[in-house]
Amino acid sequence: GVITMKLYKVGILGATGAVGREMMKILAERQFPISELRLFASSRSAGKVVEWNGRPVMIQEPSEENFRGIAAIMLGELKTALEEHGVALRWDESVIDYLVQKSYTLTYGARNLRRTIQKELEDPMATQIIDSYENPVTQIRATAENDAVKLYCL
């Protein structure tokens, strides 16, 4: 039989920085199976073309829509981490709207998004989980209303 390998769409935010360049190098060295590589950086680098694996790739400025996707990925990582500790996390679209609205800046890229998730979700969740040691939290539902994230713990 023919072995088909899964191909991944990969985006690197901060592609022109030291970490971004290293990621590109490692992906090429390891021949990571990529169907599409998108490189994002600040407006200073947007429009520049770099070579990756013998192919030209244009650097783009991240859009608000890109940020929505990154926020969803980061929440997915948080969901996985919580599941490993027996806590189910659910959220609605309002949380992603809130995160993007609070943290979308072209200057700082995803750094603000990471910090916002930590401050608005991870820290309050950790407090709730620690405070509930007698009746452990097993489910957390997140929503955003009145310009704040609301957590409902069960």
Side-chain angles (χ1 to χ4, degrees):
V2 175
I3 297 171
T4 55
M5 191 183 305
K6 180 172 171 39
L7 295 176
Y8 297 87
K9 288 183 177 181
V10 175
I12 298 176
L13 199 61
T16 55
V19 175
R21 289 195 313 267
E22 187 64 18
M23 278 298 302
M24 289 167 57
K25 193 176 116 191
I26 291 169
L27 290 170
E29 283 171 359
R30 298 197 179 161
Q31 299 177 343
F32 192 79
I34 295 176
S35 64
E36 180 185 355
L37 176 66
R38 294 181 65 191
L39 303 178
F40 299 100
S42 68
S43 55
R44 285 190 317 275
S45 302
K48 288 182 185 164
V49 176
V50 296
E51 193 174 295
W52 181 80
N53 240 5
R55 299 196 311 259
V57 183
M58 186 184 287
I59 295 171
Q60 306 168 17
E61 209 168 1
S63 68
E64 216 166 296
E65 199 49 43
N66 299 138
F67 255 68
R68 295 183 71 76
I70 294 163
I73 290 167
M74 288 179 169
L75 287 174
E77 290 170 349
L78 177 57
K79 177 180 166 58
T80 301
L82 286 169
E83 280 169 357
E84 290 169 7
H85 297 283
V87 178
L89 172 63
R90 290 196 333 261
W91 62 88
D92 57 38
E93 207 56 32
S94 70
V95 174
I96 291 178
D97 293 341
Y98 174 83
L99 292 171
V100 171
Q101 177 239 317
K102 277 285 187 220
S103 61
Y104 178 67
T105 71
L106 295 176
T107 315
Y108 296 110
R111 284 185 208 94
N112 283 355
L113 183 56
R114 176 79 237 130
R115 287 188 193 111
T116 304
I117 289 173
Q118 197 170 354
K119 195 175 116 224
E120 306 280 340
L121 288 155
E122 292 174 3
D123 293 350
M125 284 179 192
T127 302
Q128 291 271 357
I129 291 168
I130 290 165
D131 289 349
S132 74
Y133 66 92
E134 287 179 357
N135 299 304
V137 169
T138 57
Q139 292 178 49
I140 300 174
R141 186 173 63 82
T143 189
E145 49 195 57
N146 302 325
D147 202 35
V149 170
K150 298 272 188 273
L151 300 176
Y152 299 94
C153 300
L154 296 170

